Amino acid sequence: MAENNESKEVLLHRLQVCDFILTELNEYLDTHPDDPEAIRSFEKHRAMREEAAEAYTKRYGPITIMDHSATNGNQWRWVDGPWPWDMDKEGV
């Protein structure tokens, strides 16, 4: 569960870990579509990723260009603030 006080770096790392696990499970499930344990694990990590993405987006802005929060009415929010890959430049 994503904590409200987690740093940008921690949330971004959580997203990266979940994305890696989901990609690997996706590949496994392509060849083992009836594995209930793998399906449960996929759903668990998908929910964890959604939670981390929501927490990150609320605190730091959109994660990807496809993020629903990239726009706000008539404003293009994707360019507001540093991008996720610019974290090193902020001293975070």
Side-chain angles (χ1 to χ4, degrees):
M1 176 179 241
E3 300 281 330
N4 287 337
N5 60 353
E6 285 182 316
S7 71
K8 180 184 256 188
E9 183 178 60
V10 169
L11 286 170
L12 190 57
H13 180 72
R14 185 182 305 273
L15 285 165
Q16 291 167 336
V17 168
C18 287
D19 284 344
F20 176 82
I21 292 169
L22 288 168
T23 298
E24 293 298 312
L25 284 168
N26 178 205
E27 291 179 6
Y28 176 80
L29 285 165
D30 284 347
T31 58
H32 301 82
D34 298 321
D35 184 334
E37 186 176 333
I39 292 169
R40 281 192 301 274
S41 184
F42 184 89
E43 288 302 319
K44 172 187 161 190
H45 287 91
R46 184 192 53 74
M48 288 171 62
R49 193 218 183 270
E50 284 181 14
E51 185 177 302
E54 182 179 335
Y56 184 97
T57 300
K58 282 182 180 176
R59 290 188 71 189
Y60 305 110
I63 300 167
T64 69
I65 199 71
M66 301 305 281
D67 194 323
H68 71 280
S69 68
T71 61
N72 183 14
N74 293 328
Q75 183 182 9
W76 184 245
R77 295 191 55 223
W78 179 249
V79 296
D80 291 349
W83 292 350
W85 53 86
D86 287 333
M87 281 186 16
D88 303 358
K89 298 172 187 171
E90 291 179 53
V92 174

